[in-house]
Amino acid sequence: MKKWRQYCALFVLVIFLLLTPNVWAQTPSPTPAPPATVPVIFDGQELFQIPPSSSLTAEERARLVVSRLEKIANNEEIPILVTQRDGKTQTSLRVGEQVVVTISDEDAERLGKSRTELTQQYEKIITKALEDYRRSRSPERIIRGVIYAVLATVGWFIFYELMRFIFGRTVRKLETKQEQEFPRLNFFNFDLFSPAKTKQITLRVLRRTHWLIGLIAFYFYLAFVFRQFVWTQRFGISLINYVLETLLSVWQALVNYLPNLINIAVTVVIVYYTLQFLRFIANRMQSGELQIPGFYADWIQPTFRLIAFFIIALAFMIVVPFLPGFQSPAFQGVSIFIGLVVSLGSTETVTNIVAGIILIYSRAFQIGNIVKIREVMGMVEEKSLLITRIRTPRNEIITLPNSMVLNSSITNFSTASQNSPDRPLFLNTTVTMGYDVVWQKVYQLLIEAARRTKGILSEPAPFVWQTALNDYTVSYNLNAATDQPQLIPFIYSELHQHIQDCFNEAGVEIMSPSFTAIRDGNHTTIPSEYLPKDYQAPGMRISPLNRLFPNRSEDS
């Protein structure tokens, strides 16, 4: 066993290596080249791009410029005045005595501009950045941010309480309404929600909507408050941008998906009206307005359901390629997994469905028929594609898979009386009697027992067959007609009672199924209530010797 496991593991490893040839031919990834320029980000904003110099990398130059700007901006004593100091091959931009950035001819060449143009551009950007930095941290700006934050907080609380009042009043008003005032939601004539369920869902949606609107308002309230202060401004902007980018991406995806959505909508509309037309035809056939020769009424609904199933399945196959993410590996993997699960787990289900279809169109039995399937006898309560339910005379509900029903012998006791009233159903029971009883007497007693039984028809009259001449008894088979197959167990029970009564009243002993006795000196098998009051068991009879041995003389 252990060797087999090793062989299986080795086989799986070989297959994996064969299916992944890139494992053998991996090449080292090239080292990424350093970027040509790096952005200078000050106070959360990009000012300009800066290239590397002969002694510093672009990242080092960007960090150096940012540190100098922060030092200048935080020192209120330094006035914001950017000056230029030109050299032979470079120009330096200063604020006071602090050099901010040095622009060389090589920098200008790399950025595709002249040194003068680049110097003027950087000067304007640096001046504006320093002014914005100090302005955003001024006491006036902070006080204004606090005032705006307080007003926003009060506004949010007022809005929340107003929404709470409106939704609360609406919910209380709906709670007082009767359930019958709410609509019943249907889909393809299928009841999705009852009025009570519709009321419950409406109230639940209103309560959840109140909380949802409150959370959305609180989200934008936080974004607004954060934007009022420089220290949290970037976070507030990120909150707004996240929502806007999400909405923009959703809208863009919806616009791009619009042609597929139109195809899906057209397919759904065609399927809907096709099913409505088929339902119209089925209803006309059900009411008898439209008749097709050879097409039975009990085939109408099953046929409609089968056609509707195949139409919906065809529509599903048409629609699926237009669904979002259909070409993604995740979607395809899930589809393959679901298909594998369904194919492995639905074998018995498919068998039952096929058997159910055969049973429907073979018309072996209908709902309400009295049938016997194997050892189960009763009325058919339900007949679907998967199962058949039977209610027994003991009021038991027995569920049988259609595959078992199809492979069993089916006795339908209702078909004869329904399809041919002049040829009713015959019940039969067998009684064995000894040869010492005259057969005409047996016939008379069995027929009398049948006539006394409720549910047995007088026409056609009951009759008796002699089905076998056994070693010790004769088999008499009583046949009696009935038009009440739903009462078969009760009719049989009463018939057997009357058979015993009739035979006991006539003084005829029933030797069924087998009875062996020496009659001399034995009590009769007839119950005592049918015997005379002075009845006594007969004694043993001994015959004279001359009767036993007639050729023997008395002397001998």
Side-chain angles (χ1 to χ4, degrees):
M1 188 68 180
K2 188 174 181 180
K3 290 184 177 180
W4 279 107
R5 292 180 181 176
Q6 294 176 353
Y7 292 151
C8 292
L10 182 61
F11 176 79
V12 171
L13 179 60
V14 171
I15 295 298
F16 174 78
L17 294 177
L18 290 176
L19 294 178
T20 54
N22 290 333
V23 173
W24 303 99
Q26 290 185 351
T27 55
S29 58
T31 303
T37 59
V38 170
V40 176
I41 299 176
F42 175 68
D43 198 20
Q45 296 181 355
E46 179 181 343
L47 302 183
F48 46 80
Q49 298 282 336
I50 190 166
S53 64
S54 57
S55 58
L56 298 174
T57 63
E59 289 86 352
E60 293 173 343
R61 291 188 70 187
R63 286 196 297 269
L64 184 60
V65 171
V66 171
S67 64
R68 291 170 178 174
L69 289 174
E70 290 177 349
K71 183 178 179 181
I72 297 171
N74 292 322
N75 190 352
E76 297 288 343
E77 297 179 357
I78 301 178
I80 301 177
L81 178 62
V82 180
T83 59
Q84 301 180 11
R85 181 171 295 182
D86 294 327
K88 188 174 182 179
T89 60
Q90 61 184 13
T91 302
S92 62
L93 294 177
R94 299 169 177 264
V95 177
E97 297 299 326
Q98 177 65 54
V99 177
V100 178
V101 63
T102 301
I103 304 170
S104 63
D105 292 336
E106 184 180 358
D107 296 337
E109 183 180 356
R110 288 187 178 183
L111 295 176
K113 295 181 179 181
S114 65
R115 180 156 53 106
T116 303
E117 293 177 346
L118 196 60
T119 302
Q120 294 175 352
Q121 179 183 352
Y122 282 10
E123 180 181 354
K124 295 179 180 179
I125 293 174
I126 292 172
T127 302
K128 184 176 182 303
L130 292 174
E131 291 176 351
D132 292 342
Y133 185 91
R134 290 186 179 180
R135 188 184 305 114
S136 63
R137 289 162 175 79
S138 64
E140 295 82 4
R141 183 62 180 269
I142 296 174
I143 294 174
R144 187 177 62 178
V146 171
I147 295 174
Y148 285 167
V150 171
L151 292 176
T153 304
V154 174
W156 181 84
F157 273 108
I158 294 174
F159 175 80
Y160 180 77
E161 291 299 327
L162 180 63
M163 294 298 299
R164 183 179 178 183
F165 171 75
I166 295 175
F167 278 90
R169 184 176 180 180
T170 305
V171 168
R172 286 191 297 271
K173 186 176 180 180
L174 292 177
E175 286 177 343
T176 58
K177 287 189 175 183
Q178 300 294 328
E179 296 178 352
Q180 292 76 12
E181 300 181 30
F182 289 83
R184 181 185 297 273
L185 300 181
N186 298 327
F187 181 75
F188 285 102
N189 293 330
F190 176 75
D191 289 341
L192 291 177
F193 301 113
S194 63
K197 193 67 175 179
T198 304
K199 177 181 179 180
Q200 180 183 0
I201 293 176
T202 303
L203 295 175
R204 186 177 300 174
V205 168
L206 285 176
R207 295 189 182 100
R208 299 296 185 273
T209 304
H210 165 232
W211 285 100
L212 180 61
I213 294 177
L215 289 175
I216 294 175
F218 185 72
Y219 181 89
F220 285 99
Y221 155 76
L222 288 180
F224 177 79
V225 171
F226 288 150
R227 290 187 62 181
Q228 304 309 312
F229 304 98
V230 66
W231 303 279
T232 58
Q233 186 177 16
R234 280 181 290 176
F235 184 66
I237 295 174
S238 300
L239 290 177
I240 298 297
N241 290 339
Y242 177 76
V243 175
L244 294 178
E245 291 174 0
T246 302
L247 293 177
L248 182 62
S249 61
V250 171
W251 173 255
Q252 189 64 39
L254 182 62
V255 171
N256 296 335
Y257 187 69
L258 194 58
N260 294 341
L261 191 62
I262 294 176
N263 292 331
I264 294 175
V266 171
T267 304
V268 171
V269 170
I270 293 175
V271 170
Y272 174 78
Y273 283 103
T274 302
L275 294 179
Q276 291 298 318
F277 175 74
L278 292 176
R279 186 178 294 279
F280 171 80
I281 298 297
N283 292 336
R284 299 289 78 77
M285 295 178 66
Q286 198 78 38
S287 62
E289 300 178 16
L290 177 64
Q291 295 182 355
I292 300 177
F295 197 89
Y296 298 96
D298 54 293
W299 288 356
I300 298 175
Q301 291 302 323
T303 304
F304 169 75
R305 293 192 184 97
L306 287 175
I307 296 177
F309 172 78
F310 285 112
I311 290 177
I312 294 175
L314 179 61
F316 181 77
M317 290 187 292
I318 295 175
V319 166
V320 164
F322 297 106
L323 294 178
F326 173 73
Q327 300 294 338
S328 64
F331 188 96
Q332 296 175 357
V334 171
S335 302
I336 295 174
F337 177 75
I338 294 176
L340 181 62
V341 171
V342 171
S343 61
L344 294 178
S346 63
T347 304
E348 189 64 26
T349 302
V350 173
T351 303
N352 287 325
I353 292 175
V354 174
I357 295 174
I358 295 174
L359 289 173
I360 289 173
Y361 288 96
S362 64
R363 307 185 76 241
F365 53 84
Q366 307 301 322
I367 294 178
N369 287 169
I370 305 300
V371 299
K372 183 178 182 181
I373 303 174
R374 291 191 179 182
E375 301 300 324
V376 179
M377 178 180 175
M379 178 186 297
V380 179
E381 288 275 327
E382 180 184 348
K383 183 175 67 170
S384 64
L385 289 178
L386 294 175
I387 51 93
T388 298
R389 300 188 196 276
I390 296 178
R391 183 183 295 274
T392 66
R394 296 182 177 87
N395 208 29
E396 302 167 336
I397 299 295
I398 299 179
T399 303
L400 303 176
N402 282 339
S403 58
M404 190 199 77
V405 176
L406 185 63
N407 293 325
S408 305
S409 59
I410 303 173
T411 304
N412 193 330
F413 297 100
S414 303
T415 306
S417 58
Q418 291 177 354
N419 298 339
S420 303
D422 56 332
R423 300 173 62 185
L425 174 68
F426 278 87
L427 308 181
N428 68 90
T429 186
T430 299
V431 178
T432 55
M433 301 299 300
Y435 285 96
D436 57 334
V437 183
V438 181
W439 62 268
Q440 292 87 346
K441 184 69 174 178
V442 177
Y443 277 37
Q444 178 185 355
L445 296 175
L446 290 176
I447 292 174
E448 177 62 24
R451 288 173 178 171
R452 293 185 185 182
T453 304
K454 296 179 182 180
I456 297 296
L457 300 176
S458 57
E459 291 295 335
F463 59 91
V464 180
W465 287 340
Q466 293 189 36
T467 57
L469 299 176
N470 304 311
D471 293 337
Y472 304 103
T473 58
V474 179
S475 298
Y476 297 91
N477 184 257
L478 172 62
N479 297 270
T482 182
D483 58 355
Q484 303 179 34
Q486 70 275 12
L487 300 178
I488 286 177
F490 306 99
I491 295 174
Y492 268 120
S493 178
E494 187 177 350
L495 177 60
H496 293 154
Q497 295 173 16
H498 289 308
I499 289 176
Q500 294 183 68
D501 291 341
C502 290
F503 276 73
N504 291 333
E505 290 170 2
V508 178
E509 297 178 279
I510 300 178
M511 302 297 183
S512 303
S514 177
F515 188 87
T516 303
I518 300 175
R519 176 53 55 214
D520 287 347
N522 283 277
H523 197 288
T524 179
T525 60
I526 299 175
S528 58
E529 57 264 24
Y530 293 96
L531 298 175
K533 294 182 180 180
D534 56 350
Y535 173 80
Q536 293 182 355
M540 297 291 293
R541 290 180 297 173
I542 302 176
S543 300
L545 292 176
N546 58 357
R547 293 183 62 186
L548 295 174
F549 304 99
N551 296 328
R552 182 176 179 180
S553 64
E554 294 182 0
D555 295 339
S556 61

